[in-house]
Amino acid sequence: MWTGLAGAALACTAYDHQSVLDPVGPQATSTRQLFYFMMAVAVIVYVMVVGALLLIIRNRRTAVDDPQSPAREASAERTIKIAVAIVVPVLFVFLLYDFAVARVVGRMPEGSMLTIDVTGHQWWWEVTYEDPIPHNIFHTANEIHIPVGRPVRIKLASHDVIHSFWVPNLSGKKDLIPGHADDIMIRADQPGIYRGQCAEFCGLEHAKMAMLVVAESPDAFTRWVELQRQPAQVPVDSVAVAGRRVFESGSCAMCHTIASTQAAATVGPNLTHVAGRMTLAAGTLQNSRGNLAGWILDPQTIKPGAKMPANALAPAELQALLAYLETLK
Amino acid sequence: MIGSRTRSIGVLSLVALFIMAPAGCKDEKREFREMPPAGSPIGAVRESELQPGPSVVAESTKSPYGNNAYALSEGKRLYNQMNCSGCHFQGGGGIGPPLMDDDWIYGSDPSQIFTTIMEGRPNGMPSFRGKLSNQQVWQLVAYVRSLSGLEGTSVSSAREDHMYVSPDLQLRSPQTPKNTNTPSK
């Protein structure tokens, strides 16, 4: 199950099997139970129907039988009554069980709950960690870190079209509807990296709109939060300094933010700690220097239709920019 | 009674109609990689055709996005994200001149609007050279032209996503540009 966070960080994007049948939280567990229950009942019903069909084929009616005879009518009426008497309670049990599951999925004990805002964009996830103290609020993208065992309330919103938040190992789907505030409760009971994706068709790159949920120990989570709250590192290396200038003076700064620099646009993902993330372009690419270079120069080949334009950078500028972005741990 | 000959002609023409029908529904193209990444935005538009030394083939200044609904909607997104609306508002003008009327200080031709965005203009219009790609600027050009109905109403949005006090672009009457090419003000 647990692939080991340290090993997975940066070098490879090893995440746990993305499956509803492999739950790690109370919501996903109860959903899986409901699925197994429904499956079992459906199998029993299927066997019964096929059995009845075979029985009817075997005991075929003879030509002398009169289907209109009073004796046969009474028999048919009795059969229908028994069938209804069985089906209605079974459906009622389904209904009650479904309600029970919905209660588990929708409710989470209050207390030290972590609240995260997730906003869907075409085609990436904006993530904001709320805090009562304004300067403790920080922004990231496409990667949600949560502490193991602590309930998390994710507030959902959309910037453009309808998206849907779905991390199968943690919970069911919930739509992000423009102009409509909604939330979803999750809790991860085991550490691991769980992949999620947009589950509502949202345009050209819907398939490449993924995210990772990293469930880690409370200590590791606190360290991560402390790091994220820091402004971007000031580069010391001369190449990285040049890269920062490229970022601030070129087209990057038209859309992206790097805290503590002149770049403060909110159109694209916040890049303050981009080097610490496992993936680029919403789970499309592993975060490596080569992938980053390809993505910056020609995103339209990797993710056609993405809102990031191609960037004409001279080789020296590109290398400087890469050197700078790699310092943003 | 209909003769078999008449009937077969009827059937044939129906078949021909079905074969030809898809040709009528020509879908517009969505180009994501129109400009190769190496295409530098520098030198895209020249104010003069005269140049010293051997002549260099200039990049085309023809708008690639006339009547392209996708480009126009991308232009509309950029119009707000790049804060054009900060000065020109939603076309009605405010700090900057209005864009939905027939008055064009620096010309209504796509290449002239391209120059305006790339190079900037006196008294406040910033230059976006090096900040936006050629493709994005052409998308903006298409949207800016559509504000006064110069791109045809069929490619414009029929419904705004937000509250809007003026009629949508499809319902506005197209404006005929006046004083084009004559920097007057």
Side-chain angles (χ1 to χ4, degrees):
Chain A
M1 280 293 293
W2 184 29
T3 41
L5 291 182
L10 274 181
C12 65
T13 313
Y15 43 80
D16 291 280
H17 187 48
Q18 179 186 334
S19 169
V20 282
L21 300 178
D22 200 4
V24 290
Q27 283 85 2
T29 307
S30 60
T31 310
R32 183 184 62 170
Q33 278 166 1
L34 180 67
F35 170 76
Y36 281 155
F37 176 71
M38 291 279 196
M39 189 71 186
V41 173
V43 166
I44 291 168
V45 169
Y46 178 76
V47 168
M48 282 166 68
V49 168
V50 171
L53 195 67
L54 292 173
L55 208 67
I56 290 163
I57 292 170
R58 195 158 153 263
N59 306 334
R60 219 188 316 190
R61 206 164 57 209
T62 54
V64 288
D65 275 350
D66 177 12
Q68 307 271 304
S69 76
R72 287 199 70 87
E73 287 248 329
S75 152
E77 204 179 304
R78 197 173 58 241
T79 313
I80 290 170
K81 278 177 181 164
I82 292 170
V84 170
I86 294 172
V87 167
V88 169
V90 167
L91 287 179
F92 197 67
V93 169
F94 275 6
L95 190 70
L96 288 179
Y97 189 35
D98 192 50
F99 283 167
V101 170
R103 277 174 72 85
V104 175
V105 169
R107 232 171 46 161
M108 184 75 86
E110 293 287 332
S112 75
M113 187 177 290
L114 181 69
T115 308
I116 304 172
D117 293 356
V118 171
T119 305
H121 293 255
Q122 283 179 323
W123 290 276
W124 59 282
W125 306 88
E126 180 187 346
V127 183
T128 303
Y129 281 71
E130 287 192 358
D131 199 283
I133 304 164
H135 76 255
N136 279 343
I137 296 172
F138 64 90
H139 308 270
T140 178
N142 304 323
E143 202 172 298
I144 303 171
H145 286 239
I146 57 172
V148 168
R150 188 167 160 200
V152 180
R153 175 167 172 241
I154 297 184
K155 287 160 79 173
L156 304 171
S158 172
H159 179 258
D160 32 46
V161 299
I162 303 177
H163 302 279
S164 186
F165 182 91
W166 189 36
V167 187
N169 301 63
L170 293 172
S171 183
K173 304 167 184 175
K174 196 149 216 180
D175 281 6
L176 289 68
I177 299 171
H180 178 82
D182 209 342
D183 56 14
I184 187 169
M185 305 289 180
I186 58 170
R187 194 182 80 201
D189 292 333
Q190 288 169 39
I193 302 171
Y194 308 107
R195 189 177 184 274
Q197 65 187 68
C198 181
E200 174 69 45
F201 181 71
C202 59
L204 291 160
E205 289 304 333
H206 163 64
K208 287 180 180 166
M209 184 172 168
M211 84 194 97
L212 294 177
V213 176
V214 180
E216 54 198 1
S217 69
D219 288 345
F221 175 73
T222 313
R223 278 198 301 277
W224 180 81
V225 167
E226 286 305 320
L227 180 70
Q228 296 294 312
R229 281 178 184 161
Q230 304 298 318
Q233 282 186 27
V234 179
V236 280
D237 178 52
S238 66
V239 180
V241 170
R244 177 171 154 166
R245 200 158 53 240
V246 170
F247 192 96
E248 287 182 327
S249 62
S251 52
C252 313
M254 299 301 286
C255 296
H256 295 287
T257 293
I258 292 179
S260 83
T261 71
Q262 303 235 350
T266 55
V267 172
N270 187 307
L271 301 180
T272 306
H273 297 284
V274 66
R277 292 182 205 148
M278 282 173 276
T279 65
L280 295 171
T284 306
L285 299 169
Q286 287 182 14
N287 191 356
S288 68
R289 190 181 170 108
N291 282 343
L292 187 58
W295 175 249
I296 292 170
L297 288 183
D298 193 8
Q300 299 301 322
T301 299
I302 295 163
K303 205 169 167 179
K307 305 302 179 194
M308 175 146 158
N311 291 286
L313 289 171
E317 286 177 326
L318 176 68
Q319 294 305 327
L321 184 60
L322 292 172
Y324 173 57
L325 291 175
E326 281 188 330
T327 66
L328 301 175
K329 291 268 166 38
Chain B
M1 190 185 156
I2 305 166
S4 67
R5 194 191 160 94
T6 324
R7 199 160 53 202
S8 59
I9 290 175
V11 170
L12 273 177
S13 50
L14 257 179
V15 168
L17 188 71
F18 275 108
I19 291 172
M20 277 151 59
C25 315
K26 192 169 147 276
D27 208 2
E28 65 163 34
K29 269 190 168 173
R30 295 185 171 195
E31 293 289 352
F32 306 125
R33 204 165 171 272
E34 191 115 18
M35 318 287 170
S40 166
I42 294 159
V45 173
R46 289 170 188 280
E47 288 290 309
S48 165
E49 287 176 12
L50 299 172
Q51 48 181 296
S55 67
V56 178
V57 182
E59 221 174 306
S60 169
T61 53
K62 199 172 159 292
S63 167
Y65 294 132
N67 281 324
N68 186 312
Y70 174 70
L72 210 139
S73 74
E74 287 294 286
K76 182 178 183 177
R77 176 178 65 79
L78 289 164
Y79 184 86
N80 286 295
Q81 290 185 339
M82 295 301 132
N83 206 23
C84 307
S85 52
C87 291
H88 298 284
F89 298 4
Q90 296 297 330
I95 301 162
L99 301 175
M100 60 197 280
D101 62 358
D102 56 355
D103 195 10
W104 293 87
I105 302 172
Y106 296 104
S108 64
D109 193 65
S111 64
Q112 292 169 320
I113 303 173
F114 186 91
T115 312
T116 300
I117 298 172
M118 274 295 189
E119 311 298 339
R121 295 292 186 188
N123 300 327
M125 175 73 191
S127 158
F128 284 85
R129 164 157 290 173
K131 306 284 181 180
L132 293 178
S133 70
N134 283 10
Q135 189 171 2
Q136 288 177 312
V137 174
W138 282 122
Q139 288 167 344
L140 275 167
V141 167
Y143 177 64
V144 166
R145 277 172 59 81
S146 78
L147 284 170
S148 55
L150 296 180
E151 289 292 349
T153 50
S154 61
V155 290
S156 293
S157 161
R159 187 182 63 84
E160 298 295 334
D161 288 338
H162 49 83
M163 281 172 72
Y164 212 63
V165 287
S166 58
D168 66 60
L169 290 175
Q170 289 197 346
L171 293 176
R172 284 186 210 161
S173 49
Q175 307 287 312
T176 314
K178 58 183 187 191
N179 61 12
T180 328
N181 289 330
T182 49
S184 56
K185 291 179 183 171

